[in-house]
Amino acid sequence: MGGDFTSDQKRYLEGFVSGMQAVGGAKAAPVAAAPIPMGPDATHLQAQDAVTAGGGKLVDQEKWKRAEHPFDAYPRLKAQARDGAFPKPEDNFRWRYFGLFYVAPAQSSYMVRLRIPNGILNHWQFAGMADVAEQMGGRYAHVTTRANLQIREVMPDNAPRVVEAIQDLGLCSRGSGADNIRNVTGSATAGIDPQELADTRPLAREWHYHILNDRSLYGLPRKFNVAFDGGGLIATLEETNDIGFQAVRIGGEIWFRLVIGGITGHRDLARPTGVFCKAEECCSIADAIVRVFIDKGDRTNRTKARMKYVLDAIGFPAYLEAVEAKLGRKLTRLSEDGVEPRPAFDRLAHIGVHPQSQPGLNWIGVTLGVGRMDAGQMRGLAAIARDFGDGDIRLTVWQNLLISGVADAKLEDAKAAIEALGLDWKATSLRAGLVACTGATGCKFAAAHTKEHALEIADHVDARLALDVPVNVHLTGCHHSCAQHYIGDIGLIGAKVTLNEEGDQAEGYSIVVGGGYGDQARIGRELWKEIRAEDCPGKVEGLLRLYLERRQDSTESFQAFTLRHEPETLRGLVDDRELAGA
């Protein structure tokens, strides 16, 4: 962090000089002012100094970053590994810069999270991650809602080894946690989608390497998400990100609409800015937006440290003016009147067989149980991609994966091979849109076992109802909303339910309905508060039965149905059915 003095060092020097003056009455030279911060961390140090100069108090995480930058502490991580020691809180924060999360007390081990731009890796990298999971983790992996991979149950002696093994595969975990820019998402079918407007792979790749190779983009006031949507069949959920770039057609040309400020856990979606740009401008604009956030983000309150709150405080126009100052030029503003309607999403395109833009080739969407697969299944999927497809594995934000480039003549063999792994290439309308975070099994913040409860809900409903339209059910364990419950048709957020006057508690959920994304983007409304987990399958079934019975016709979506009713009306109708034993 350059030659800057820490506050402790400054106090020591001031005390030393005072002592010299007191001894013998000698007149000491005045203490020189601390030098202006230099180097790649300077902008962060200056932002911290501005806070303290204004009388603010830095949160612990800011102090930890200042005392020892995580990227300077790798030797200590290795030393802890040699001793088999788990980190104290400040190092638990630092090691997240390397993608390592100590997740006690849920699991007395590390979770490691990768960076996979646009969610695409090749078959040998995927097979290599299976080896990593088997040799250094819990022998399984999760696909996340950022089209990413997580390996869990990594013991401390394996922490540096797993980071380096990932790098050996041409992948990395750098900056995938803590106050950094997270995995860059893009359209899952980029480059193979028959309706896409733009291939997001080069955009995600450019931004990915821009981040990796500029240390000044690490250590933000809080985490930051960026997504590119090319207008393909599978939604990228860019409106849930701090920055979203949406491919649009204007006057026969492809532009990207800029939307900013999404953070669904805080009940906000990214909003259009009136700014449009060409593909080659996306990276520089994203860079400028992040740098304004570095300058203006809150470093005194972690709950208010996201970009949304800067936008709330100063407004979109002022924020964009600051972005233009960083860029040294004006942003392009265009009227929405000239924007052609974007192609519609297919809510089931991430499951099953779909023809690619390349004649005679297809992608197969593989169903995973809320993102989980064991090491053997991973190796099997890698072999299928190698032998029947183009060699790519494409992770999606829907916690599953695609195998692309499968020739028509090889489809049946590929489907049979998927089934032989104990997986499937088809799913019910409910199971296809089932999303769940790690939950209490592996996260200390979660109030409920979300993955287990999600599968219980799916089993319960599928045994009793035949849905003829997609309905997304999202379960998240806590306020961090990693499973984005507020944009689900039905969203559940973990809660502790008080059972009696003695204060006994059980796992449960509060339930929201009517969320959505894309052209139906909105935040769901709360329907029930603190329902026991064992009662949630019945509540979901009741809602879906009510929908099938009372929708206007088969074209009315679940979201549209719920928006026709006030929450108390829906709640009463479902509760009355339960009381009647229907």
Side-chain angles (χ1 to χ4, degrees):
M1 291 195 173
D4 191 26
F5 293 113
T6 67
S7 57
D8 288 341
Q9 289 171 328
K10 291 175 185 176
R11 285 193 295 269
Y12 172 81
L13 289 171
E14 290 167 357
F16 177 78
V17 171
S18 297
M20 290 293 294
Q21 291 173 328
V23 177
K27 185 175 181 181
V31 178
I36 296 172
M38 303 290 287
D41 307 316
T43 183
H44 302 279
L45 296 171
Q46 290 164 1
Q48 292 172 341
D49 288 343
V51 169
T52 55
K57 183 178 179 181
L58 297 174
V59 294
D60 286 342
Q61 290 84 352
E62 294 296 321
K63 296 175 184 176
W64 296 337
K65 286 184 283 190
R66 190 174 187 114
E68 182 181 31
H69 193 287
F71 289 153
D72 296 333
Y74 194 66
R76 286 202 305 103
L77 170 63
K78 294 176 71 174
Q80 285 182 16
R82 286 192 295 270
D83 294 339
F86 283 118
K88 294 179 179 179
E90 57 268 35
D91 281 341
N92 184 18
F93 174 79
R94 291 187 181 104
W95 302 159
R96 294 180 183 204
Y97 277 57
F98 300 101
L100 292 164
F101 296 68
Y102 179 46
V103 294
Q107 292 173 323
S108 188
S109 58
Y110 285 106
M111 175 269 285
V112 62
R113 179 189 295 153
L114 275 65
R115 299 188 71 90
I116 306 171
N118 214 116
I120 302 174
L121 64 170
N122 61 48
H123 67 88
W124 59 266
Q125 289 174 319
F126 198 69
M129 287 307 303
D131 293 341
V132 171
E134 188 168 77
Q135 296 167 13
M136 294 180 240
R139 307 174 68 87
Y140 63 92
H142 288 154
V143 177
T144 78
T145 54
R146 290 204 66 77
N148 202 352
L149 281 177
Q150 290 182 173
I151 305 296
R152 308 192 74 88
E153 300 182 45
V154 176
M155 300 309 291
D157 57 320
N158 278 327
R161 290 180 59 215
V162 77
V163 169
E164 293 167 6
I166 289 166
Q167 292 173 343
D168 285 341
L169 293 169
L171 299 168
C172 77
S173 57
R174 187 179 180 88
S176 62
D179 297 347
N180 299 307
I181 305 167
R182 301 301 174 82
N183 191 48
V184 186
T185 55
S187 296
T189 51
I192 63 173
D193 197 306
Q195 77 166 33
E196 74 179 2
L197 300 175
D199 184 346
T200 61
R201 290 175 297 180
L203 300 175
R205 185 178 186 276
E206 181 183 13
W207 181 236
H208 170 79
Y209 284 108
H210 182 77
I211 298 163
L212 286 184
N213 292 298
D214 191 336
R215 174 161 155 166
S216 70
L217 292 174
Y218 294 84
L220 281 58
R222 200 74 196 269
K223 72 174 184 177
F224 205 94
N225 293 321
V226 181
F228 300 87
D229 188 278
L233 286 162
I234 301 174
T236 308
L237 303 180
E238 71 282 354
E239 63 273 1
T240 68
N241 288 252
D242 297 280
I243 302 175
F245 291 98
Q246 301 171 332
V248 295
R249 192 183 300 275
I250 304 175
E253 293 185 274
I254 302 303
W255 291 77
F256 283 85
R257 177 196 285 126
L258 174 67
V259 298
I260 60 175
I263 173 172
T264 59
H266 295 233
R267 305 190 186 195
D268 214 347
L269 296 165
R271 284 167 272 170
T273 58
V275 172
F276 294 80
C277 66
K278 291 295 189 175
E280 59 270 21
E281 300 175 285
C282 290
C283 187
S284 62
I285 290 174
D287 178 272
I289 292 170
V290 171
R291 293 188 190 281
V292 172
F293 176 57
I294 290 171
D295 293 345
K296 299 182 180 296
D298 193 332
R299 296 177 187 264
T300 68
N301 182 351
R302 298 288 283 182
T303 63
K304 301 291 185 181
R306 295 293 298 274
M307 189 175 81
K308 162 192 160 55
Y309 293 101
V310 181
L311 292 167
D312 287 349
I314 69 173
F316 277 58
Y319 199 104
L320 293 173
E321 287 177 12
V323 170
E324 289 174 329
K326 293 286 186 185
L327 285 170
R329 63 176 176 83
K330 290 290 185 181
L331 295 164
T332 301
R333 290 168 171 81
L334 300 173
S335 170
E336 287 285 344
D337 293 342
V339 179
E340 297 179 19
R342 299 187 83 217
F345 298 125
D346 178 349
R347 293 180 65 174
L348 295 176
H350 62 291
I351 300 294
V353 177
H354 300 271
Q356 296 182 187
S357 54
Q358 297 82 10
L361 296 181
N362 309 269
W363 75 77
I364 304 177
V366 180
T367 308
L368 303 175
V370 285
R372 179 171 173 139
M373 55 199 161
D374 64 39
Q377 290 171 327
M378 292 174 70
R379 289 194 194 90
L381 289 166
I384 294 168
R386 179 195 65 211
D387 297 340
F388 302 117
D390 58 17
D392 282 346
I393 299 283
R394 294 166 175 259
L395 310 179
T396 85
V397 297
W398 302 102
Q399 293 188 306
N400 78 318
L401 59 84
L402 316 179
I403 295 173
S404 53
V406 182
D408 292 341
K410 295 183 177 181
L411 277 174
E412 295 308 313
D413 288 340
K415 290 190 288 187
I418 291 168
E419 293 173 358
L421 295 173
L423 300 172
D424 212 334
W425 50 273
K426 54 187 181 298
T428 64
S429 295
L430 178 69
R431 211 172 286 266
L434 191 65
V435 177
C437 70
T438 300
T441 299
C443 177
K444 67 180 180 181
F445 298 110
H449 287 74
T450 52
K451 287 190 183 294
E452 295 86 343
H453 294 148
L455 296 175
E456 289 172 9
I457 288 171
D459 290 342
H460 177 94
V461 173
D462 284 344
R464 292 164 175 81
L465 289 178
L467 280 173
D468 55 358
V469 294
V471 175
N472 288 6
V473 178
H474 296 225
L475 288 83
T476 199
C478 73
H479 64 281
H480 291 118
S481 191
C482 293
Q484 300 171 335
H485 65 290
Y486 279 119
I487 65 165
D489 289 303
I490 302 173
L492 298 89
I493 178 170
K496 293 298 183 184
V497 181
T498 301
L499 301 176
N500 50 43
E501 293 181 357
E502 285 72 36
D504 294 329
Q505 291 185 319
E507 290 187 8
Y509 297 87
S510 295
I511 302 178
V512 304
V513 296
Y517 57 91
D519 59 353
Q520 302 299 318
R522 65 182 299 120
I523 297 295
R525 301 177 294 171
E526 187 172 271
L527 198 59
W528 286 288
K529 192 173 184 65
E530 297 177 0
I531 301 296
R532 291 184 305 171
E534 63 196 72
D535 296 328
C536 288
K539 295 293 187 186
V540 174
E541 178 199 353
L543 276 170
L544 295 174
R545 281 195 183 277
L546 189 68
Y547 162 64
L548 292 175
E549 291 171 0
R550 301 200 179 196
R551 63 186 177 181
Q552 292 177 336
D553 55 48
S554 61
T555 65
E556 184 177 36
S557 69
F558 180 85
Q559 183 195 50
F561 169 76
T562 62
L563 293 177
R564 285 198 294 110
H565 301 81
E566 291 302 316
E568 56 267 23
T569 302
L570 287 173
R571 183 168 57 247
L573 289 169
V574 175
D575 290 346
D576 287 346
R577 288 179 61 93
E578 290 180 347
L579 289 172

